[in-house]
Amino acid sequence: MKYDYIIAGSGCAGLSLLFRMLKDPILKNKKILVIDKSKKTDNDRTWCYWEEGTGLFEAIVTHEWRRLQFLTSEFIKEFHLENYSYKMIKGLDFYSYVLSFAEEFENVVFKQEAIKSIQTETNAALVETENGKYTSDYVFNSTSLFNPEINKENSLLQHFEGWVIKTKEPTFNSEVGTLMDFRLDQKNGATFMYVLPTSSTEALVEYTLFSPALLKKEEYKLALKEYIKNYLHIDDYEILHTEFGVIPMSLAKFSRTTDASELIINIGTAGGHTKASSGYTFQFIQKNTERIISQLQLSGNPNVKMTFREKMFQWYDRTLLEVLISNKMKGKEVFSLLFGKRSPEMILKFLANESSLVDDIKIMSSLPIGPFLSAGVKQLKSN
Ligand SMILES: Cc1cc2nc3c(=O)[nH]c(=O)nc-3n(C[C@H](O)[C@H](O)[C@H](O)COP(=O)(O)OP(=O)(O)OC[C@H]3O[C@@H](n4cnc5c(N)ncnc54)[C@H](O)[C@@H]3O)c2cc1C
């Protein structure tokens, strides 16, 4: 049987796309095969992102914050978001929500198999797994099969360990999230903590670094313990959940399609939807999958072309990452200058690719021209 669409990889991007297809009155009737090697029954990650108003996954938002903090040893800035909300979704809530919705559809088939290759034939895309071969009109791929090579010259790693901790006594203000606390040793690269309280007794505390190499496992744990004791002043707590992650922050080119006939479409991190300079991906996956649906409705062809504005944001992003990789400036310095001089809402707009040209200029003018000019020219030439 030939499917209309194969979704190869049912993580954030694959399931976001599936959910959007099944919400559409026409696309919901298509023959869809979803293949993943994993069952998606683990709470393997927590997504944070910001958006205006109510989003598609509002029903499973664990908590949201309108007040955020940015801290360095030099200053503390607490701010109230005017239009955005900073939101958190637990991975397992997301997987269960989409999978239980999709269960109702007989035209959607799930297979738990490891994919070995994805290729095109005449007018069809072919997915080969450990158990069989499947064909479709289009394949939406979020596996790493086509990922470019990541190395120390073209990438930094964003690596982190997060603990959800519970205290006996009310300790946290669940209305205020800490976006970045840079009051930490910066010897390994840009190093900061997130503290996202979901109640007066529970918070996600995440030790995050942007650097070329991972640390030893015990170093993340030690940093978290010290921070909780010395900065949050908590001695007595229980660890409810831990997560560890590595997100590539890369100048390598993640292509949106892999073949001339454009029947294989890369989505999610595989399609370059991880913001290279920040690692945020969730909100970009939502924008991209929304556009894929619009394309399918309009023409039946799901290929989304980059707009001029998107190309500009990609250039800004690559320039900032180039500055960090080449050590022209430290991450702490860059973010401190931005948060010291500009409104946080404007920075979040810029990081979400939603700022105006005037905002872009204001953001750029808060950073020193030297390191950014040379990095910008280099990135312009490499495009
Ligand atoms: C711990 C962690 C926390 C994160 N937190 C945030 C955050 O707060 N905000 C944010 O914006 N981003 C965050 N990210 C980054 C990003 O949002 C996630 O990595 C997101 O899951 C990317 O979505 P994706 O669909 O591209 O990849 P994934 O969600 O990883 O999905 C890929 C799927 O492909 C499957 N797969 C891979 N290879 C094969 C194969 N050969 N055969 C079959 N199946 C295969 C995998 O099992 C997986 O289900 C985080 C990442 C991690 C790891």
Side-chain angles (χ1 to χ4, degrees):
M1 178 172 92
K2 189 179 177 198
Y3 293 91
D4 292 306
Y5 310 125
I6 294 179
I7 297 182
S10 59
C12 183
L15 291 184
S16 296
L17 182 64
L18 178 68
F19 194 63
R20 288 177 190 278
M21 282 178 169
L22 299 181
K23 288 270 174 187
D24 180 86
I26 305 214
L27 299 173
K28 72 176 186 186
N29 300 312
K30 296 283 181 186
K31 292 192 289 287
I32 304 170
L33 171 63
V34 183
I35 312 176
D36 201 298
K37 61 183 178 186
S38 141
K39 257 178 136 176
K40 311 309 290 179
T41 47
D42 291 336
N43 192 23
D44 59 356
R45 60 202 65 191
T46 311
W47 287 297
C48 289
Y49 60 100
W50 57 97
E51 66 184 352
E52 280 187 34
T54 309
L56 186 64
F57 294 105
E58 205 61 30
I60 48 164
V61 169
T62 305
H63 198 79
E64 56 188 281
W65 299 265
R66 299 299 295 260
R67 279 164 65 198
L68 293 173
Q69 278 186 331
F70 175 89
L71 300 94
T72 70
S73 329
E74 290 75 40
F75 67 91
I76 294 176
K77 192 157 181 175
E78 186 174 315
F79 47 96
H80 192 277
L81 295 174
E82 283 159 35
N83 301 311
Y84 287 127
S85 251
Y86 194 77
K87 303 184 182 181
M88 177 195 276
I89 289 183
K90 289 185 189 130
L92 187 56
D93 290 347
F94 174 86
Y95 305 137
S96 311
Y97 183 65
V98 178
L99 292 173
S100 64
F101 181 72
E103 257 173 29
E104 310 292 316
F105 293 79
E106 284 176 3
N107 49 314
V108 182
V109 177
F110 287 90
K111 291 195 186 283
Q112 194 192 336
E113 295 173 18
I115 297 167
K116 293 201 304 199
S117 70
I118 307 177
Q119 303 160 42
T120 48
E121 292 178 330
T122 325
N123 293 328
L126 175 76
V127 177
E128 190 176 352
T129 73
E130 53 192 351
N131 296 347
K133 290 183 181 176
Y134 309 98
T135 53
S136 63
D137 289 343
Y138 290 100
V139 172
F140 297 97
N141 166 59
S142 58
T143 73
S144 54
L145 282 174
F146 302 106
N147 282 6
E149 193 202 325
I150 305 271
N151 56 44
K152 286 190 178 164
E153 278 69 51
N154 66 17
S155 307
L156 286 178
L157 299 175
Q158 177 175 153
H159 45 117
F160 46 89
E161 175 153 335
W163 291 356
V164 176
I165 60 168
K166 187 171 176 63
T167 56
K168 287 206 178 79
E169 305 298 326
T171 309
F172 303 106
N173 179 354
S174 63
E175 306 222 316
V176 186
T178 296
L179 195 58
M180 289 175 147
D181 184 348
F182 270 110
R183 294 174 299 168
L184 305 174
D185 196 331
Q186 302 291 310
K187 69 174 188 298
N188 291 313
T191 306
F192 58 92
M193 288 278 176
Y194 289 105
V195 184
L196 297 170
T198 50
S199 75
S200 62
T201 54
E202 240 176 83
L204 169 68
V205 187
E206 200 149 275
Y207 179 55
T208 306
L209 299 101
F210 300 171
S211 74
L214 302 185
L215 303 182
K216 292 194 193 105
K217 277 192 176 145
E218 56 274 18
E219 291 181 82
Y220 300 95
K221 298 187 194 322
L222 185 66
L224 281 160
K225 272 187 195 160
E226 284 184 356
Y227 183 81
I228 293 168
K229 187 174 173 28
N230 300 332
Y231 289 87
L232 300 181
H233 309 291
I234 301 171
D235 291 315
D236 194 9
Y237 60 93
E238 189 190 340
I239 302 170
L240 298 182
H241 176 76
T242 65
E243 68 174 31
F244 178 77
V246 183
I247 306 174
M249 300 169 70
S250 185
L251 295 171
K253 301 261 164 72
F254 287 72
S255 45
R256 293 194 172 190
T257 52
T258 56
D259 58 312
S261 50
E262 300 192 330
L263 303 182
I264 304 169
I265 295 147
N266 292 327
I267 56 174
T269 296
H273 299 287
T274 293
K275 179 104 173 155
S277 62
S278 70
Y280 281 104
T281 315
F282 188 90
Q283 65 230 71
F284 299 103
I285 285 178
Q286 299 318 320
K287 285 178 187 163
N288 176 247
T289 51
E290 195 178 349
R291 283 184 65 199
I292 290 176
I293 299 297
S294 305
Q295 282 292 121
L296 284 170
Q297 289 163 339
L298 272 175
S299 65
N301 182 334
N303 281 285
V304 171
K305 300 290 170 218
M306 263 184 131
T307 61
F308 179 68
R309 199 67 186 123
E310 269 184 293
K311 286 184 187 160
M312 275 184 87
F313 281 113
Q314 195 181 57
W315 174 61
Y316 299 153
D317 202 32
R318 294 174 69 83
T319 301
L320 174 52
L321 186 58
E322 170 75 37
V323 166
L324 298 179
I325 292 177
S326 59
N327 237 326
K328 288 187 169 69
M329 276 180 82
K330 304 272 179 231
K332 178 184 171 182
E333 251 181 293
V334 173
F335 286 104
S336 300
L337 279 171
L338 286 175
F339 278 91
K341 292 189 181 174
R342 296 291 170 240
S343 99
E345 189 109 6
M346 184 193 284
I347 300 167
L348 291 185
K349 259 190 177 180
F350 181 74
L351 294 177
N353 297 0
E354 288 173 357
S355 48
S356 66
L357 207 54
V358 174
D359 290 342
D360 298 354
I361 293 166
K362 285 186 185 158
I363 291 278
M364 285 184 256
S365 67
S366 61
L367 296 166
I369 195 154
F372 278 87
L373 188 65
S374 56
V377 170
K378 185 169 169 195
Q379 283 311 309
L380 210 53
K381 283 185 186 159
S382 77
N383 261 328

